[in-house]
Amino acid sequence: MKCKRINFLRDFLKFKTIQQRLIFIVVIETTVSLLLLVLVSYQTIHSIEKNKLKTSMVTDLQQFTEKMTQNYMNMIQVSQQMSPVGTVGSLLDSYFQAHTKYDVYRIGQEISDSLVNITFANSNIICRTYYNPLTGQKYFNGFFTYAGTSPETNRLLQRNGSIDYHPLHLSNTMGLGTWQVLSISRKINIASGMGLTIYIESRLEGKEIIDGLSKAQNMHYVLLQLDNNKRVAYSSSEDFTVGKSFQLEDEKEVGNSYFGKSGKYVGVRLTADTGFVNVLLLPTVDYNRELYTWIRNVIGILVLAIVLFGFSFILLSRLIYTPLSVFSKEMKKLGKGDLNAVKVNTGAVEYDELFNQFNTMKKQIQTLLMDVENVAHEKYQLEVEKIYYQINPHFLMNTLHSIHWLAKMHQQTEIEIFTTELNYILAYSLGKSDKNATVRTEIKMLQSYLRLQKMRYDFKAEVEVEDGDYLDTQTARMIVQPIAENAIRHGLGEPGCLWIKVCHSRIENAVILTIEDNGKGLTTEELARIQKPFKKGPGDVSKTNGIGLRYVRSMLESFYGDKAIINIKSELNIGTKVTLILPINRE
């Protein structure tokens, strides 16, 4: 799945223009949507239509088979009455043993009347007779039968004891030869030892029923009757030859029937309660007719959707890409330096606003170009001034260096030390020495400063530094010296003492730096004035006392943001204590 997603994105990125990507996205989405619609509707239509047809075929075959079974059962009941144990058959012995013509006529008339009575309720029975297979003579038939016809000439559908079931066939009765009938034949023996066959026909126009069903549904149904050997005993179509074997393939059970295929047909096979088998077939073309109709409709819809898509795309192209093309041309003109305003009326509010903003941007660019030109001129002036002002510190440092060597040559140790420390302090403050300011370099610079001040003032200074890697933590430049300078110049008397302590707080992960003196201290008003630089916001540039402390505040805010803490405590005639808390991890 991941590879497919990567391939899709790769194909998508091949298209460089929005138009190509829009076409790609719309085509993919439309295709997928239509395919899903087609698949879902196909499954639905196929399931509904096929189930409907299967159910319809099963129902029609069941109804036809039930009607056929009922006809067979009616004929069996009549044959039971015509058998020697029945009311009619019991008179056969008297008929064939009568000695006078009168007795023959009387008994024969009684048998004929009885046959009429038992078949009166079964209007479909059109022929019932006794047949002598030895002589070929027929007795008591209601209608004349064609010469040479006999039960043996009919095909055998099924044999059940002494009863033979015959499939649909044309009637053997004269004048009714175009009618389709079902028939049975039953072998009996009378008391005189004569063997007879009861033959009964029941009208059932199977072909008419099938043709009517075909016409009603506009399909071409075929009815087959199969004998016990699965050979065709009757077929309503010439596509199936009587006497040949027949078998449905890929049968699936549908209710009490089986649905399958046979060549270009699909069909339903049903076994009747009496044991014979009926098959109702339908050409595959008819079976799939609704599906083919649906396919044609879907193809028509797809073609229409493609046409509508093409029309919509052309419309969208004119609506979207025509203004974009104009905008692209104007951007190219802008790239060549054309800052003239453009007047375009696209009719779309979004594009009109875009062009208005484009014109506004051109005006701003013109203004910016003028500002850049002015800034460039001012920058040039500042560079000149910067070079000028850099000359003086370099000259001063070189001069101090010369004084240092003169003092060393004349063995003026104090002057030599003084110029050395002063030169280092000046180089450090200008960034010429120790370019990356750390806690260690700040302490080093502070110690140099203290050594200078001791040459001028009488005071003691104790510096206690906890050793550790934290000393190499980067910090802002020149943040300790201004605090020490304030303590020496404004806090200490002569003699005085200054304690400086630097340590690492692992709890707060910070550098703790304290500068404490035992000087005269500060009054409440003086302390408030000293703390005032630290209470001003970043944007406050008003002039107040304490330039050094304002510098410290600015450097701390610039380097640490609001993470660094400076705390000043002072008591009159006791001393002043300044604490700096500098976080090691600035983030």
Side-chain angles (χ1 to χ4, degrees), residues 217-265:
Q217 298 187 11
N218 193 25
M219 295 184 180
H220 300 87
Y221 285 101
V222 176
L223 176 67
L224 301 181
Q225 286 185 281
L226 307 182
D227 60 19
N228 290 337
N229 296 320
K230 296 184 179 179
R231 290 194 298 266
V232 178
Y234 168 80
S235 172
S236 64
S237 172
E238 296 179 354
D239 290 345
F240 298 91
T241 304
V242 175
K244 287 191 175 181
S245 297
F246 177 85
Q247 178 68 45
L248 283 177
E249 299 174 354
D250 301 329
E251 286 188 332
K252 295 180 182 179
E253 189 173 357
V254 181
N256 59 351
S257 305
Y258 293 88
F259 183 87
K261 299 178 181 179
S262 177
K264 61 180 182 179
Y265 286 86

Side-chain angles (χ1 to χ4, degrees), residues 296-572:
R296 288 194 297 270
N297 292 339
V298 167
I299 292 174
I301 293 173
L302 290 176
V303 172
L304 180 61
I306 292 172
V307 172
L308 290 177
F309 169 75
F311 178 76
S312 301
F313 176 74
I314 294 173
L315 195 62
L316 285 174
S317 295
R318 293 183 178 179
L319 179 65
I320 297 175
Y321 295 109
T322 299
L324 283 178
S325 177
V326 175
F327 188 75
S328 177
K329 292 178 181 178
E330 292 300 323
M331 287 294 291
K332 290 179 181 178
K333 290 181 180 179
L334 177 62
K336 294 179 181 179
D338 185 359
L339 296 176
N340 296 322
V342 58
K343 293 182 179 179
V344 178
N345 185 11
T346 63
V349 175
E350 294 82 359
Y351 282 115
D352 291 342
E353 290 180 355
L354 181 63
F355 279 110
N356 290 335
Q357 293 177 1
F358 184 63
N359 289 332
T360 303
M361 183 185 70
K362 285 184 176 181
K363 294 179 181 179
Q364 292 174 346
I365 290 175
Q366 288 177 335
T367 303
L368 287 174
L369 287 175
M370 295 176 63
D371 292 342
V372 167
E373 186 177 354
N374 294 333
V375 169
H377 180 71
E378 293 176 359
K379 182 179 179 181
Y380 174 75
Q381 295 294 332
L382 289 174
E383 290 292 337
V384 173
E385 293 177 4
K386 179 179 178 181
I387 293 172
Y388 173 75
Y389 285 115
Q390 284 180 342
I391 293 174
N392 289 337
H394 282 288
F395 174 75
L396 180 59
M397 291 176 65
N398 291 332
T399 302
L400 288 174
H401 192 65
S402 299
I403 295 173
H404 166 76
W405 283 106
L406 286 173
K408 190 171 184 178
M409 290 172 60
H410 292 86
Q411 296 182 354
Q412 298 291 328
T413 305
E414 290 185 355
I415 297 174
E416 179 186 352
I417 294 172
F418 191 90
T419 55
T420 300
E421 298 295 346
L422 181 60
N423 200 15
Y424 172 73
I425 292 173
L426 182 60
Y428 182 80
S429 64
L430 294 174
K432 302 296 182 180
S433 175
D434 298 324
K435 294 186 177 181
N436 292 325
T438 63
V439 176
R440 191 185 303 276
T441 60
E442 283 291 293
I443 294 172
K444 180 181 176 183
M445 189 272 176
L446 176 63
Q447 290 174 333
S448 295
Y449 175 76
L450 292 176
R451 283 193 288 270
L452 283 181
Q453 295 300 322
K454 283 182 180 181
M455 294 180 181
R456 179 179 178 184
Y457 299 107
D458 183 15
F459 70 93
K460 293 182 180 180
E462 296 182 5
V463 180
E464 181 182 348
V465 180
E466 179 184 351
D467 194 19
D469 295 338
Y470 76 96
L471 294 174
D472 295 320
T473 303
Q474 290 189 0
T475 186
R477 188 180 296 272
M478 296 291 290
I479 57 173
V480 181
Q481 184 270 337
I483 299 175
E485 182 179 355
N486 277 343
I488 295 171
R489 295 180 61 185
H490 305 293
L492 288 178
E494 292 185 3
C497 189
L498 188 67
W499 296 278
I500 299 171
K501 183 177 180 181
V502 182
C503 63
H504 174 218
S505 173
R506 289 177 176 81
I507 298 176
E508 299 180 3
N509 193 24
V511 178
I512 309 297
L513 192 150
T514 58
I515 300 175
E516 185 176 4
D517 64 66
N518 61 349
K520 59 184 179 181
L522 301 171
T523 64
T524 304
E525 292 78 9
E526 290 174 333
L527 180 61
R529 187 172 66 252
I530 291 295
Q531 291 177 335
K532 191 174 182 181
F534 303 101
K535 296 181 180 180
K536 290 186 176 294
D540 194 339
V541 293
S542 59
K543 301 292 183 180
T544 62
N545 293 331
I547 296 175
L549 292 180
R550 284 208 310 274
Y551 167 79
V552 172
R553 181 200 69 169
S554 300
M555 293 301 293
L556 290 177
E557 287 180 352
S558 175
F559 194 81
Y560 294 102
D562 58 350
K563 303 300 182 182
I565 298 174
I566 183 169
N567 186 25
I568 303 175
K569 293 182 180 179
S570 182
E571 294 185 22
L572 191 62

Side-chain angles (χ1 to χ4, degrees), residues 569-584:
K569 293 182 180 179
S570 182
E571 294 185 22
L572 191 62
N573 299 322
I574 294 179
T576 303
K577 181 178 180 180
V578 179
T579 304
L580 279 177
I581 302 177
L582 309 177
I584 292 178

